[in-house]
Amino acid sequence: MSCKRSSGTISGPSTPLVSRTPRFPLVAFAAALAWAGCGGGDAPSDEPAAAAGAADAGAPPQFETTEVAEGVYQFRWGGHNGLFALTSEGVFAFDPISVEAAATYAEEIRRVAPGAELAAIVYSHNHADHATGAEVLREAFGADVPIYAHRNAEAPLREAANPDLPPPTDTFDETMTLAGGEIELHYLGRNNGDDIAVGFVPAHSLAFAVDFVARDRFGYQDLSGFHFPDQFDAIEGLLEIPFETIVFGHGPSGDRAAVERQLTYYRDLDAAVRAAVEAGLSEDETAETVLMEDYSHWDRYDDWRELNVRGMHRKLLAAGAGDQEGEAS
């Protein structure tokens, strides 16, 4: 449960501590993250690209593989997380992240499960900074494995026609079970997009949810990709899944309390900005007065607090908040 492997050190109950140099040069790492950060022009990453010398400045290692439950591993590449699970049918890998990440991802799967087949790849959603690299995983395991995603992810991926980000071979609407029920996929409605699939491993009460929730972290920039009030419903739906541990697309893993805090934050943000709108405050005035100080210890407070407030202000105005004849969203 505590075994980890990273680009800096390898540790585990049966593995001696040894130094490991990443296969790719740091310049390539930086370029890869910069490309992923562009999100294919449609889905910007919420993680900055690493500087070429970041490893010399005490930064976290470029990648790290952590066993989060028996046979279930979080694969972190820079600021992005993937997840892979060993099942009776082989390995199910969520989110290849990027071309460069996927090459290391494949190595880590082989290290953890030598000889195991890659049973399937699962896209959490269509954004390029999470889904790119599937062909690298496929080629590494010598099999044309299926790719699963929510049906709303298929059209944009086909339109993009990116060979590094192939469209899914199989899709689902609301739920899908894989490997005889060892893996479940759930669609909870619109949130940060309209195609996000949540993975669930019932045997370990473990979920994988990307972008619309995180542990003690503000929403991405001005919330432009978020749908409200659907966001509230999606998080409530997530809490109906009986998970105890949850791995997020960014940042550290968490538990049910972390998801409950995320829901409370968005409700508090909505209430505070709604009050400002109804009082007739402009967007600038709202950004100056709605400080969300109860969340000042959260990740990205200094970067995204004002942007979250401004984004919510625009969303509420667009929905008619503040108009006597309008209905609140």
Side-chain angles (χ1 to χ4, degrees):
M1 290 283 291
S2 61
C3 178
K4 294 186 178 182
R5 176 184 174 91
S6 74
S7 56
T9 59
I10 306 170
S11 63
S14 60
T15 307
L17 290 175
V18 297
S19 175
R20 183 177 189 275
T21 301
R23 182 178 297 270
F24 300 102
L26 289 173
V27 172
F29 282 156
L33 283 182
W35 182 88
C38 294
D42 296 322
S45 167
D46 63 358
E47 299 294 344
D56 297 328
Q62 177 62 28
F63 74 88
E64 186 173 50
T65 298
T66 305
E67 187 174 30
V68 291
E70 184 177 358
V72 184
Y73 297 81
Q74 175 182 315
F75 172 73
R76 180 187 61 76
W77 176 270
H80 290 68
N81 296 322
L83 185 88
F84 64 97
L86 282 56
T87 76
S88 59
E89 295 184 3
V91 176
F92 283 74
F94 289 77
D95 284 0
I97 302 174
S98 73
V99 169
E100 289 76 12
T104 301
Y105 203 160
E107 291 179 355
E108 290 298 279
I109 292 173
R110 284 203 190 95
R111 178 185 66 83
V112 167
E117 295 183 357
L118 182 63
I121 298 166
V122 181
Y123 292 157
S124 64
H125 60 309
N126 76 80
H127 289 179
D129 66 313
H130 292 276
T132 302
E135 284 302 328
V136 174
L137 283 180
R138 283 172 147 183
E139 291 171 5
F141 286 87
D144 189 20
V145 300
I147 301 173
Y148 297 102
H150 186 261
R151 63 180 176 84
N152 290 343
E154 183 173 13
L157 292 179
R158 291 197 180 281
E159 292 172 6
N162 181 350
D164 293 325
L165 211 173
T169 59
D170 298 273
T171 64
F172 73 102
D173 289 323
E174 296 183 0
T175 60
M176 174 181 273
T177 58
L178 302 169
E182 293 177 60
I183 303 287
E184 295 178 4
L185 303 181
H186 296 263
Y187 177 64
L188 305 175
R190 300 192 308 171
N191 41 69
N192 182 23
D194 67 351
D195 67 333
I196 292 182
V198 172
F200 180 56
V201 186
H204 300 295
S205 302
L206 186 144
F208 179 60
V210 177
D211 282 0
F212 73 105
V213 286
R215 194 180 89 181
D216 300 341
R217 180 187 180 98
F218 277 69
Y220 179 61
Q221 294 194 357
D222 66 351
L223 308 177
S224 60
F226 286 77
H227 299 272
F228 286 91
D230 308 64
Q231 172 77 356
F232 303 124
D233 295 335
I235 299 178
E236 288 172 354
L238 176 58
L239 287 167
E240 291 177 3
I241 298 173
F243 71 89
E244 296 299 331
T245 302
I246 184 165
V247 174
F248 301 108
H250 300 280
S253 59
D255 54 15
R256 298 186 66 82
V259 176
E260 290 166 353
R261 290 194 299 272
Q262 184 84 85
L263 179 58
T264 299
Y265 164 69
Y266 283 122
R267 285 174 171 163
D268 288 349
L269 176 66
D270 177 273
V273 175
R274 189 182 298 275
V277 169
E278 292 175 350
L281 272 62
S282 68
E283 180 180 318
D284 287 343
E285 291 169 331
T286 302
E288 291 176 359
T289 57
V290 176
L291 302 180
M292 305 302 293
E293 291 174 321
D294 287 348
Y295 301 91
S296 61
H297 61 290
W298 275 29
D299 188 24
R300 301 302 174 89
Y301 176 83
D302 292 334
D303 301 321
W304 295 346
R305 189 277 311 169
E306 179 179 334
L307 291 171
N308 276 204
V309 171
R310 288 182 178 277
M312 184 62 76
H313 189 279
R314 291 194 289 270
K315 289 178 185 295
L316 290 175
L317 282 185
D323 296 337
Q324 290 184 348
E325 296 181 359
E327 292 184 2
S329 66

